[in-house]
């Protein structure tokens, strides 16, 4: 059964049983506690936590997932992958264990035709109910095993819903391992479907992971996950996930690049599978907006890419590998996941640039490693220090495996125990930092959740109104829920209805005022989402006391909102123009929409030329002047995407979405506020373009009044410049250019004359040289030179002393400091370098000096001691010359 049929069979089965089909969310989740989407339930988490009310009680999805916890097992087992499609069915307070088990059994045995006698079940060790259900379905007790918390219990790792699991495993037969059922945890019994029964509420856990059960949930839930890769391997009767139709074309591509078939066992087999499997993860991550970086999800991508490149090199593939293998992934899976095809150009450019960059890293690391190996051999040590291996890996990205291999070739080992210890220390530091951030995010969300559980969602009125009557339903002060707060307090307010836009999609939150009926006045300084659909208004109590239940008049700052609307519409226009100018890969990666100003980040690989920036600015203003209609409408997400609406990377959308059209050239999913007509943007001025990271560019621009104020400033500057030049503004640039050319010519003439003066002065100074031994010595104070000219003068003086050894020491007072320069003929270098010659003189003026070879400079804070310094230099020079 091909993977397309496996997917269709799954979705048809559950939709025919009342489940709402939900599209996969992006791999970049809208969740501060998650780096990447790693389970089918991620997008339903607010429903299970009670933060949002689900619009349906049953759902089914096929979710893109990325997990790197088992990255080292890829290729070493038949079943592990860093990317997979998780097919799932979910119940939100509807059916529970009985139906979940029955659905799974029916689909596996009748829908997919798996032999019943090859299916093994595991249940939580205390879950008698689940075992009885499976026994009633027809599974014999001999094929049901009970396992503990680690294997068959689920929670999010924080207080909230939790419950036992039941896993369905498939026996692949004796060729894959020994008997014993899933409890032996081998390759033979493959876990294909996990049924999670969300039944209980857990409390805070201890450091060992133990946590108390606080009671049963009021509404139980079901969360299941059936791995497409593993099921496909079974249905297609192939040994591992890389030989299913999901990855086989890419596996063949890797074999073609290597020029040979992959072996059935051994390290080469691992490398073939790593390159194949990682290629898929890389393509999907980039398609969903992840770009290589030094940390976060960007580091996950970079690690996968570098690991794939390294294993390709182990296979002898010396040329570029990632562009070819990711193109194979797109060709094979792009029809199922259109974002792969839509982002094909982006994927190719990212992997090409990263592979070239890693090639340079490998070259640099190899040089450093060669030097470290040489030092180790010179010290007669048998092992390369673990610190060296760690620095190469951590600072330069040089893989440990290559360090070990190179050391082995040189007859050395690597202190891998020390390397592991350093790596563990780094992980602990990172984990501690990550836990602190996560704990803070969770603490704040817990406070919001406390309010959200008791309060209705805020009715947003801001698309049509800037003022409205509202009632305060909740107050937070100092992070705690309170019922009142006095004058001068900083509070967070929840209102029953609000015209204030909460920050989202790059648009900053609204500000304004809230005047209560009892005379209390609050200044609203920001508006944000606490949880999905739950708005929090940050406010300062200017007068009176604010209390829960009090009503009043809200008023959005109208002028600020107008500026935000101009900038947001301009951002949409800019996005369309950037893609039209640079290519579809140049999609928005982030934005900041402020009053009359915007910042726009997009994927691209080189700096934009002046010509490109001019084209973009003119095109945006051209669209603005054409005065296109701006229209917002609503549709199901599938309908919106079919209509060509662009969904932005990292943004979270529901099944019902708002679409903003600007003319016939821009269509985006967007919940922001916009002008009614393009001409209301007013004006658009690009300010700058810069790099903000690997493969990321940023432009900043003014809009509306901001653009006009910027234009006024530039006009005033130009008029002032023209006045200073005594010409008209239109001719200022040409007049200034001519004057600068004339100035440059005059400067060159002055420098030539000054050089001639210095040569003449040097000749005179050289004439004062006295003989010391077989050589010549000049020690003299001069005036009227810059530090650079003093060095030139000393060198020119030495040039005139053409016979025998010679020393020239010149000094002067400059800017209230003492300056000295010493220069010697090369034949004195071994006896006394110039820097050593004036070391004592430098101390005399209270300073120090430096230089290499035949010339050195010194300076000090006491120019009044220059005579003593010159005397010391003369004495030292005389000693050197007199000894010859």
């Amino acid at each position: 059964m091909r993977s397309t049929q496996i997917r269709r069979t799954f979705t048809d089965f559950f939709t025919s049983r009342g489940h709402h089909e939900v599209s996969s969310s992006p791999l970049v989740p809208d969740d501060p506690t998650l780096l990447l989407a790693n389970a089918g339930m991620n997008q339903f988490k607010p429903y299970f936590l009670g933060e949002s009310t689900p619009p349906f009680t049953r759902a089914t999805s096929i979710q893109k997932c990325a997990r790197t916890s088992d990255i080292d097992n890829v290729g070493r087992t038949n079943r592990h992958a860093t990317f997979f499609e998780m097919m799932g069915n979910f119940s939100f307070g509807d059916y529970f264990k009985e139906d979940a088990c029955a659905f799974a059994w029916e689909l596996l045995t009748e829908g997919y035709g798996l032999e019943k006698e090859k299916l093994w079940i595991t249940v939580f060790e205390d879950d008698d109910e689940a075992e009885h259900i499976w026994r009633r379905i027809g599974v014999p007790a001999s094929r049901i095993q009970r396992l503990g918390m680690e294997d068959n219990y689920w929670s999010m790792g924080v207080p909230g819903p939790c419950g036992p699991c039941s896993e369905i495993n498939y026996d692949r037969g004796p060729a894959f391992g020994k008997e014993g059922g899933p409890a032996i945890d081998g390759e033979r019994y493959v876990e294909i479907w996990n049924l999670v029964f969300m039944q209980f509420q857990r409390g805070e856990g201890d450091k060992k992971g133990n946590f108390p059960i606080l009671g049963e949930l009021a509404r139980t839930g079901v969360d299941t996950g059936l791995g497409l890769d593993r099921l496909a391997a079974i249905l297609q009767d192939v040994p591992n996930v890389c030989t299913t139709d999901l990855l086989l074309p890419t596996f063949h591509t890797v074999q073609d690049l290597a020029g040979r078939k992959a072996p059935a066992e051994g390290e080469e087999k691992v490398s073939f599978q790593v390159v194949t499997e990682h290629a898929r993860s890389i393509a999907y991550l980039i398609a969903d907006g992840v770009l290589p970086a030094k940390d976060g999800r960007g580091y996950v991508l970079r690690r996968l890419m570098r690991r794939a490149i390294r294993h390709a090199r182990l296979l002898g593939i010396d040329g570029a590998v990632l562009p070819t293998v990711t193109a194979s992934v797109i060709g094979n899976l792009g029809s199922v996941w259109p974002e792969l095809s839509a982002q094909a150009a982006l994927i190719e450019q990212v992997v090409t640039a990263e592979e070239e960059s890693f090639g340079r890293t490998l070259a640099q690391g190899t040089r450093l490693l060669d030097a470290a190996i040489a030092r180790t051999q010179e010290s007669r040590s048998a092992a390369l220090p673990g610190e060296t291996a760690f620095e190469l890996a951590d600072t330069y990205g040089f893989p440990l495996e290559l360090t070990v291999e190179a050391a082995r070739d040189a007859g050395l080992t690597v202190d891998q125990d020390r390397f592991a210890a350093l790596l563990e220390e780094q992980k602990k530091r990172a984990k501690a930092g990550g836990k602190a951030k996560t704990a803070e995010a969770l603490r704040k969300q817990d406070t919001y959740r406390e309010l959200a559980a008791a309060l209705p969602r805020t009715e947003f009125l801001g698309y049509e109104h800037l003022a409205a009557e509202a009632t305060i339903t909740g107050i937070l002060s100092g992070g705690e829920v309170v019922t009142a707060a006095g004058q001068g307090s900083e509070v967070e307010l929840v209102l029953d209805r609000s015209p204030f836009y909460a920050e989202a999609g790059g648009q900053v939150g609204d500000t304004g005022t809230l005047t209560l009926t009892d005379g209390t006045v609050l200044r609203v300084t920001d508006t944000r989402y606490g949880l999905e659909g739950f708005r929090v208004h940050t406010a300062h109590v200017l007068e009176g006391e604010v209390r829960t239940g009090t009503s009043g008049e809200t008023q959005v700052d109208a002028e600020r909102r107008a500026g935000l609307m101009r900038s947001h519409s301009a951002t949409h226009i800019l996005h369309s123009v950037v893609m039209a100018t640079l290519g579809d890969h140049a999609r928005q990666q982030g934005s900041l929409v402020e009053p009359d100003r915007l910042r726009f980040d997009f994927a691209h690989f080189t700096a934009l030329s002046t010509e490109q920036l001019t084209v973009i600015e003119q095109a945006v203003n051209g669209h603005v002047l054409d005065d296109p209609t701006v229209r917002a409408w609503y549709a199901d997400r599938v309908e919106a995407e079919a209509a060509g609406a662009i969904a932005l990377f990292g943004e979270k959308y529901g099944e019902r979405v708002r679409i903003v059209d600007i003319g016939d050239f821009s269509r985006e999913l967007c919940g922001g506020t916009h002008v009614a007509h393009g001409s209301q943007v007013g004006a658009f001025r690009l300010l700058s373009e810069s790099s903000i990271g690997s493969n990321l560019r940023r432009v900043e621009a003014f809009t509306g009044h901001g653009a006009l104020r910027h234009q006024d400033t530039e006009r005033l500057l130009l008029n002032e410049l023209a006045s200073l030049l005594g010409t008209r503004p239109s001719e200022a640039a040409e007049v200034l250019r001519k004057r600068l050319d004339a100035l440059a010519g005059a400067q060159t003439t002055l420098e030539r004359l000054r050089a001639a003066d210095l040569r003449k002065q040097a000749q005179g100074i050289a004439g004062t040289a006295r003989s010391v031994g077989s050589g010549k010595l000049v020690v003299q104070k001069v005036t009227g030179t810059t530090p650079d000219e003093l060095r030139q003068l000393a060198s020119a003086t030495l040039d005139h002393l053409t016979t025998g050894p010679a020393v020239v020491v010149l000094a002067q007072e400059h800017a209230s400091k003492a300056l000295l320069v010493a220069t010697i003929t090369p034949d004195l270098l071994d006896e006394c370098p110039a820097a050593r010659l004036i070391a004592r003189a430098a101390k005399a003026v209270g300073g120090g000096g430096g230089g290499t070879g035949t010339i050195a400079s010194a300076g000090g804070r006491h120019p009044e001691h220059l005579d003593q310094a010159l005397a010391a230099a003369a004495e030292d020079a005389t000693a050197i010359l007199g000894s010859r």
Side-chain angles (χ1 to χ4, degrees):
M1 185 180 286
R2 302 277 297 175
S3 57
T4 51
Q5 189 180 349
I6 296 173
R7 293 189 195 91
R8 190 70 262 157
T9 298
F10 185 90
T11 301
D12 287 348
F13 179 87
F14 282 103
T15 54
S16 68
R17 286 156 179 79
H19 291 67
H20 182 79
E21 183 179 355
V22 180
S23 301
S24 172
S25 66
L27 284 169
V28 179
D30 183 20
D31 186 333
T33 68
L34 284 176
L35 198 63
L36 294 165
N38 59 9
M41 63 80 61
N42 288 162
Q43 65 175 315
F44 303 120
K45 184 175 170 183
Y47 303 155
F48 287 122
L49 288 173
E51 296 173 357
S52 299
T53 301
F56 33 73
T57 58
R58 300 182 175 194
T60 184
S61 70
I62 300 177
Q63 174 65 45
K64 297 177 291 186
C65 296
R67 291 183 194 168
T68 55
S69 54
D70 293 317
I71 190 171
D72 292 328
N73 289 324
V74 173
R76 300 191 181 280
T77 71
N78 292 318
R79 64 190 189 277
H80 285 105
T82 58
F83 173 90
F84 52 92
E85 296 176 43
M86 186 65 83
M87 304 187 293
N89 58 289
F90 307 87
S91 167
F92 312 113
D94 189 346
Y95 61 84
F96 198 45
K97 294 182 184 179
E98 188 90 40
D99 286 339
C101 295
F103 285 151
W105 187 260
E106 180 184 355
L107 178 56
L108 289 177
T109 59
E110 297 180 22
Y112 292 124
L114 297 182
E115 304 95 320
K116 295 178 181 180
E117 62 275 10
K118 289 189 177 183
L119 295 176
W120 286 67
I121 307 298
T122 63
V123 297
F124 180 55
E125 56 191 359
D126 295 336
D127 195 354
D128 296 335
E129 180 186 6
E131 180 175 353
H132 292 155
I133 290 171
W134 286 116
R135 296 277 296 274
R136 287 197 298 273
I137 286 174
V139 182
S142 59
R143 294 209 309 276
I144 301 176
Q145 295 182 329
R146 293 186 181 233
L147 299 176
M149 292 281 290
E150 185 176 348
D151 296 293
N152 277 71
Y153 205 91
W154 177 91
S155 86
M156 293 184 193
V158 295
C162 65
C165 308
S166 184
E167 295 177 350
I168 306 174
N169 306 264
Y170 184 82
D171 180 5
R172 301 213 69 184
F176 288 84
K178 60 183 180 180
E179 292 185 64
I184 66 172
D185 192 28
E187 289 286 295
R188 175 169 173 173
Y189 301 91
V190 181
E191 175 206 334
I192 54 175
W193 205 337
N194 185 18
L195 313 178
V196 177
F197 308 125
M198 296 191 188
Q199 188 172 0
F200 302 105
Q201 179 80 18
R202 61 157 282 187
E204 191 68 53
D206 59 25
K207 292 182 179 179
K208 296 181 179 179
N210 302 312
F211 52 82
I213 299 298
L214 305 180
E216 291 209 8
L217 296 171
R219 290 163 59 89
T220 58
V222 171
D223 157 29
T224 85
L226 171 60
L228 175 61
D229 289 66
R230 295 182 182 186
L231 182 59
I234 292 167
L235 293 176
Q236 295 169 19
D237 194 24
V238 295
N240 59 65
V241 297
C242 286
T243 47
T244 67
D245 69 320
L246 291 161
L247 283 171
L248 188 59
T250 306
F251 192 60
H252 286 158
T253 299
V254 177
Q255 292 181 127
D256 291 343
L257 290 170
R260 61 187 182 282
K261 296 291 185 182
E265 298 295 338
E267 291 301 312
E268 271 209 352
K269 172 244 186 190
V270 173
S271 292
F272 273 105
Q273 291 188 208
V274 166
V275 179
T276 300
E277 195 282 330
H278 285 9
R280 177 175 61 171
S281 300
I282 291 163
Y284 277 89
L285 284 167
I286 298 172
D288 270 6
V290 181
L291 292 174
K294 293 180 180 179
D295 53 18
R297 56 183 65 96
Y299 178 73
V300 172
L301 173 61
R302 176 163 284 169
R303 184 185 180 197
L304 289 167
M305 296 169 82
R306 293 187 167 187
R307 201 166 186 266
I309 295 166
R310 181 176 64 79
H311 278 277
R313 299 296 181 265
L314 293 176
L315 294 174
I317 305 173
D318 294 326
V321 63
L322 294 183
T324 304
V325 293
T326 51
S328 171
V329 171
I330 296 167
N332 185 41
L333 297 169
S335 59
V336 179
W337 298 97
E339 58 268 37
L340 290 174
S341 299
Q343 300 299 326
L346 174 65
I347 294 167
E348 180 183 8
Q349 293 187 43
V350 170
V351 299
T352 299
E354 186 67 14
E355 188 156 6
E356 290 173 354
S357 172
F358 189 47
R360 294 189 291 272
T361 293
L362 290 176
Q364 181 183 25
T366 300
R367 289 194 298 272
L368 295 169
L369 178 58
D370 289 344
I373 288 173
R375 288 195 302 272
T376 304
Q377 290 172 329
E378 289 172 6
S379 68
R380 299 186 181 279
S381 174
L384 195 72
E387 286 83 358
T388 300
F390 182 75
E391 182 184 8
L392 283 166
D394 186 52
T395 304
Y396 301 100
F398 198 83
L400 174 64
E401 293 84 350
L402 292 186
T403 299
V404 171
E405 184 180 328
R408 184 172 59 243
D409 292 343
L412 303 172
T413 60
V414 175
D415 187 351
Q416 295 192 56
D417 290 341
R418 180 57 179 157
F419 177 92
L422 291 168
L423 184 61
E424 185 61 27
E425 289 175 14
Q426 185 191 60
K427 286 181 178 178
K428 285 181 179 178
R429 289 193 298 270
K431 191 174 183 181
K435 278 186 174 179
K437 291 180 181 178
T438 300
E440 176 60 24
L442 290 172
R443 186 196 65 77
K444 198 161 189 177
Q445 283 201 333
D446 284 344
T447 306
Y448 290 147
R449 194 175 294 124
E450 179 184 343
L451 275 179
L455 302 177
R457 294 295 182 263
T458 303
E459 179 187 358
F460 179 56
L461 309 171
Y463 291 136
E464 295 84 21
H465 305 284
L466 295 182
E469 290 288 330
T471 300
I472 298 172
T473 57
I475 305 173
L476 287 91
S477 180
E480 302 294 331
V481 177
V482 298
T483 57
Q487 185 171 323
S489 300
E490 294 289 338
V491 295
E492 292 180 298
L493 305 177
V494 182
L495 307 177
D496 63 338
R497 54 209 303 266
S498 171
F500 291 93
Y501 179 82
E503 180 172 337
Q507 181 176 332
V508 298
D510 278 335
T511 62
T513 58
L514 172 55
T515 304
L516 303 178
T517 53
D518 63 4
T520 298
V521 179
L522 299 97
R523 174 65 182 169
V524 178
T525 57
D526 194 13
T527 311
R528 294 176 179 270
Y529 282 108
L531 301 171
E532 183 181 355
F534 179 71
R535 293 168 190 268
V536 177
H537 306 73
T538 303
H540 182 77
V541 184
L542 299 177
E543 299 176 27
E545 181 183 55
V546 59
R547 297 185 306 278
T548 304
T550 310
S551 298
E553 177 78 12
T554 60
Q555 176 64 59
V556 174
D557 184 331
E559 184 176 347
R560 185 174 181 275
R561 166 70 83 82
L564 286 166
M565 293 163 65
R566 286 190 287 266
S567 291
H568 205 152
S569 296
T571 300
H572 281 224
I573 297 172
L574 175 63
H575 190 190
S576 173
V577 168
V578 166
M579 287 195 297
T581 304
L582 304 177
D584 285 344
H585 70 275
R587 291 203 170 200
Q588 179 176 332
Q589 301 294 315
S591 69
L592 178 64
V593 176
E594 295 182 315
D596 296 325
R597 185 186 182 101
L598 67 87
R599 189 176 73 205
F600 181 79
D601 303 336
F602 58 97
H604 199 54
F605 309 94
T606 57
L608 272 62
S609 67
T610 302
E611 291 75 15
Q612 287 175 316
L613 292 172
T614 300
V615 166
I616 290 171
E617 183 177 83
Q618 289 178 346
V620 172
N621 281 311
H623 282 309
V624 169
L625 291 173
D626 287 342
D627 195 25
T629 299
V630 180
R631 180 175 73 99
W633 53 287
Y634 293 84
D636 293 336
R637 183 171 177 181
V638 173
E639 178 188 349
E641 291 179 349
I646 295 176
L648 302 184
F649 293 139
E651 290 295 322
K652 187 174 183 180
Y653 303 99
E655 287 305 296
R656 190 72 176 169
V657 293
R658 181 172 182 261
I659 304 101
V660 173
D661 289 348
I662 301 182
D664 58 1
F665 57 86
S666 173
R667 172 169 288 173
E668 294 189 22
L669 303 186
C670 180
T673 62
H674 289 268
V675 297
H677 291 272
S679 62
Q680 292 173 328
V681 169
F684 177 88
R685 286 294 302 274
L686 276 178
L687 298 179
S688 64
E689 187 271 349
S690 61
S691 169
I692 57 167
S694 180
N695 309 317
L696 274 178
R697 309 300 301 180
R698 168 174 291 171
V699 293
E700 297 188 53
F702 280 133
T703 59
H705 292 303
L708 295 176
R709 284 192 295 268
H710 181 69
Q711 182 176 318
D712 287 343
T713 300
E714 288 189 328
R715 186 176 68 249
L716 289 172
L717 286 172
L718 178 59
N719 288 337
E720 184 177 356
L721 177 63
S723 177
L724 291 171
L725 292 170
T727 187
R728 292 178 295 183
S730 61
E731 298 173 354
E734 184 60 29
V735 171
L736 180 59
R737 187 179 299 109
K738 289 178 179 179
R739 293 196 184 182
L740 290 174
D741 289 343
L743 183 61
Q747 185 70 30
T748 301
T749 301
L750 285 173
E751 289 173 356
R752 187 167 56 249
L753 293 172
R754 182 58 177 157
D757 284 344
L758 289 174
R759 288 194 298 272
K760 185 175 180 180
Q761 187 178 357
Q763 185 175 6
I765 294 172
T768 67
R770 60 188 178 91
S771 297
V772 179
S774 61
K776 297 287 187 181
L777 173 62
V778 173
V779 178
Q780 188 171 319
K781 190 190 296 185
V782 298
T783 59
T785 62
T786 66
D788 284 343
E789 288 174 347
L790 187 64
R791 288 175 65 90
Q792 294 173 32
L793 185 59
S795 296
T797 301
L798 188 69
D799 290 342
H800 285 288
L801 305 175
T802 56
T803 57
V807 174
V808 175
V809 180
L810 301 181
Q812 77 164 13
E813 180 179 346
H814 181 79
S816 299
K817 292 183 179 180
L819 298 179
L820 296 106
V821 173
T823 181
I824 62 175
T825 50
D827 52 348
L828 296 176
L829 192 57
D830 291 339
E831 296 177 50
C832 184
R836 196 193 312 165
L837 177 66
I838 59 168
R840 198 156 61 96
K843 288 182 180 178
V845 294
T852 58
T854 60
I855 189 166
S857 301
R861 300 183 303 276
H862 300 294
E864 67 274 12
H865 296 158
L866 269 177
D867 290 336
Q868 296 95 307
L870 287 174
E875 184 178 328
D876 294 340
T878 298
I880 294 168
L881 292 171
S883 65
R884 294 181 65 85

